[in-house]
Amino acid sequence: MALRFLSPISRHALISAPVAMTMCLGVARAEPAAESKTAPAPLPLSVQPSAQESVPPHPVPSPVPAMTGTPPAAVAAPAPKKSREVPAPVYAKVSEDPTPTLTPATFLATMRMAEHYKALADAGGWSQVPAGLTLKPGDRNPAVAALRGHLVMTGDLAADATHSDIYDDTLVAAVKSFQQRHGLPESGLVQRLTVAALNVPASVRQRQLAATVERLIGSKFPFGERYVVVNIPSATVETVENGAVARRYVAVVGKPDKATPSVETRVTDVNLNPTWTLPVSVIKNEIIPTMRKNPGYLVKNHIRMLGPGGVEVDSTTFDWSGEKAVNYTLRQDSGFDNSLGQLRIDMPNKFAVYMHDTPSKSLFAGNVRFHSHGCVRVGQVKEFAAWLLQGTEGPNGPGSTWGPIEIESGIATGEKRDIKLVKSVPVTFVYLTGYATPDGRAHFRDDIYGLDTPGTPAPSAATDVVTTGSITPRAVIKPARAGQPAPAATDLVPAARPVTSTKPASAPAARPDTGHRTPAATPVEGAVERAFLPPGLVGRRG
């Protein structure tokens, strides 16, 4: 009613304003109008957008009716169309160096490098560069001299290179070499992370190399023509074929208080559409307290409660006041939202850890990727699985193969399927914070678990296990008390009642108690983890 008391110009402004505001705020992915458009914030150097991503078209505003003597009705902006397409994942950029992190020559090469760095440390090491130093090509700075001296000592820059205070192309190339050896984005820009790595003393680097030598002593890993290396501090997965890296994948590994353990075993199967059976520890420590507050919690997260004989129980009417639930099987349905994602890599080992997909693919974009509870989440896991399945008969019989498309099609059926590798592939989870490659270069990563400090115990085996609907639960070992013998076979009890099982799994070897407990014992994926839940309920999912 008040509009008729305004002039035509004022009425036009009032009617147009909501339209313009709605176009800016109501369209989720639309760019702002040209006259108010600002440049988007640049992505982090380590994050490269996927080729499948595209910039949405500029919205075309609806025309505003011409003003007449009669005030027009308010013009409502069209409802934004919600895209059903899942955004393409973004992965942190990792090195394309074909030299594997771990080879049969790594032990001796690292031992020699440790001796070299000891000599550098004994000679006084290198000079520090200013903490706030930033350099881009062409910059002139007095600190360039210290930078040159450091890179000459570490072999990234030739000793006879031109000396000046200009950050020239030769020095930029040397910095990229340094960044590659330290797992940093190879930008050639000297910024905070690069400066921090430059200022680590030579004595610390020597200690990292020496610690790696100690951890590799006694390794019996069967390298072979094809094998997989997961370097935990690098948070990467390498597929090695004929002595070279066929592909290096971004990974998410255990957080410092839920460390991924060192493992040497073999990949035996690829599981499509796995279900996830919750460990007893999760039921006791997480589910029971949560269900007392929110009885609909399991239903909302597609977790079934199964009693004797696999009969489903109504979790919303179950008595959660006590701890009777630990005697039931809680199983999360397979699907895109499953904690294991759509694919699991089976690699039997005493720690009950493995590699798998994840719904939380946004974690693959970060430089810091220590978020899991012991297992290794693999970016582009379907391509990784296809590499593992080379030589294994595909879904269409003799002559067919398991490529990413065939794996995707198998997942699309929604059926659980275990694909046995025609030949198992050796896999090792290693903790290499400092190591040397046969080409005489030293590589360093952050000591995320603090294991390089003398006397720090390595992560120990879990006492609870995660199972899937495809894999029979492995046994849980009742730990022996100090002075008692190792547990016998009769002491082995299942962690959870299996719902379906297509193949038996042998119990792990008994592990006697050593008289102490590691503070950060490695639990299995999901154990005491709120991460298997959808976002917004308890915490991050994984």
Side-chain angles (χ1 to χ4, degrees):
M1 294 296 294
L3 287 176
R4 60 180 184 168
F5 296 105
L6 300 175
S7 66
I9 296 177
S10 300
R11 289 200 303 271
H12 181 79
L14 285 176
I15 294 170
S16 302
V19 178
M21 182 63 69
T22 307
M23 292 308 300
C24 290
L25 302 179
V27 182
R29 299 183 62 188
E31 294 181 352
E35 58 270 17
S36 60
K37 183 175 178 180
T38 57
L43 290 172
L45 292 172
S46 62
V47 180
Q48 301 298 324
S50 169
Q52 298 179 4
E53 290 184 323
S54 58
V55 179
H58 190 81
V60 180
S62 301
V64 179
M67 302 304 296
T68 62
T70 304
V75 179
K81 292 183 178 180
K82 193 173 182 179
S83 174
R84 295 183 179 180
E85 295 183 4
V86 178
V90 177
Y91 300 97
K93 189 174 181 180
V94 294
S95 172
E96 297 179 359
D97 184 359
T99 305
T101 294
L102 185 68
T103 71
T106 300
F107 177 78
L108 287 178
T110 304
M111 187 166 61
R112 294 191 185 101
M113 191 61 68
E115 294 173 354
H116 174 65
Y117 269 72
K118 185 177 186 306
L120 291 179
D122 291 345
W126 41 72
S127 302
Q128 299 275 299
V129 298
L133 178 66
T134 60
L135 292 173
K136 62 181 183 298
D139 282 356
R140 184 184 296 270
N141 192 303
V144 168
L147 176 62
R148 287 184 183 276
H150 183 131
L151 297 176
V152 167
M153 294 180 70
T154 55
D156 295 293
L157 182 66
D160 59 355
T162 303
H163 291 272
S164 72
D165 61 353
I166 300 177
Y167 188 47
D168 56 28
D169 292 342
T170 302
L171 197 51
V172 169
V175 166
K176 287 183 178 181
S177 172
F178 176 90
Q179 291 169 333
Q180 190 274 326
R181 293 190 303 104
H182 291 75
L184 299 171
E186 299 168 39
S187 64
L189 301 176
V190 176
Q191 296 175 322
R192 181 177 59 86
L193 293 178
T194 300
V195 169
L198 285 165
N199 285 338
V200 174
S203 58
V204 173
R205 295 308 191 194
Q206 186 276 333
R207 188 171 69 216
Q208 289 182 286
L209 293 164
T212 290
V213 171
E214 291 182 7
R215 284 192 284 268
L216 289 178
I217 291 176
S219 171
K220 298 179 180 179
F221 184 65
F223 290 94
E225 293 182 0
R226 301 175 83 240
Y227 62 93
V228 175
V229 176
V230 177
N231 189 21
I232 300 165
S234 298
T236 57
V237 176
E238 294 177 358
T239 56
V240 182
E241 194 164 3
N242 297 321
V245 175
R247 179 71 185 270
R248 187 174 283 112
Y249 297 91
V250 175
V252 171
V253 299
K255 58 185 71 174
D257 61 335
K258 309 293 181 185
T260 296
S262 296
V263 172
E264 290 183 356
T265 183
R266 288 178 175 271
V267 174
T268 58
D269 299 80
V270 172
N271 312 132
L272 304 185
N273 296 312
T275 58
W276 181 48
T277 302
L278 281 65
V280 172
S281 61
V282 173
I283 298 173
K284 182 178 180 180
N285 299 325
E286 300 292 332
I287 297 300
I288 292 177
T290 301
M291 288 298 290
R292 290 171 182 168
K293 301 175 183 178
N294 181 8
Y297 182 76
L298 292 182
V299 174
K300 189 172 184 179
N301 289 281
H302 310 290
I303 300 174
R304 301 176 186 273
M305 189 171 189
L306 305 173
V311 177
E312 188 166 354
V313 176
D314 186 353
S315 61
T316 61
T317 59
F318 185 81
D319 180 10
W320 294 93
S321 60
E323 295 189 351
K324 294 185 296 183
V326 298
N327 299 317
Y328 289 74
T329 295
L330 300 187
R331 185 188 67 193
Q332 188 180 32
D333 291 341
S334 60
F336 181 79
D337 291 333
N338 186 277
S339 295
L340 307 183
Q342 299 173 311
L343 190 150
R344 174 186 186 268
I345 308 296
D346 188 22
M347 40 175 285
N349 63 90
K350 65 183 179 182
F351 296 96
V353 293
Y354 43 84
M355 296 177 281
H356 65 91
D357 183 21
T358 176
S360 301
K361 291 182 172 55
S362 62
L363 296 178
F364 292 127
N367 284 325
V368 179
R369 301 187 297 277
F370 310 108
H371 306 288
S372 84
H373 279 59
C375 289
V376 176
R377 309 169 192 175
V378 186
Q380 298 169 298
V381 69
K382 293 164 189 173
E383 292 182 17
F384 174 50
W387 183 87
L388 291 170
L389 289 168
Q390 286 179 18
T392 301
E393 185 177 289
N396 301 318
S400 63
T401 60
W402 281 103
I405 294 177
E406 287 76 16
I407 291 173
E408 193 72 64
S409 298
I411 291 171
T413 66
E415 298 178 0
K416 291 183 295 182
R417 180 168 185 172
D418 295 347
I419 309 170
K420 190 170 187 62
L421 274 63
V422 67
K423 184 178 180 181
S424 61
V425 177
V427 57
T428 180
F429 293 2
V430 290
Y431 192 83
L432 307 183
T433 55
Y435 63 95
T437 45
D439 57 4
R441 304 179 75 210
H443 300 257
F444 299 99
R445 300 294 185 270
D446 289 342
D447 181 17
I448 56 170
Y449 296 163
L451 300 183
D452 290 342
T453 302
T456 303
S460 64
T463 56
D464 202 357
V465 300
V466 165
T467 58
T468 70
S470 302
I471 306 300
T472 299
R474 293 180 178 81
V476 174
I477 301 174
K478 295 180 179 179
R481 295 180 180 177
Q484 292 183 346
T490 54
D491 291 326
L492 301 178
V493 296
R497 189 176 293 104
V499 180
T500 8
S501 176
T502 58
K503 63 176 184 178
S506 58
R511 204 165 178 253
D513 198 321
T514 57
H516 71 275
R517 289 281 180 266
T518 302
T522 303
V524 292
E525 184 73 3
V528 199
E529 178 179 14
R530 299 173 185 267
F532 71 91
L533 306 170
L537 294 180
V538 175
R540 267 184 187 167
R541 51 182 299 184

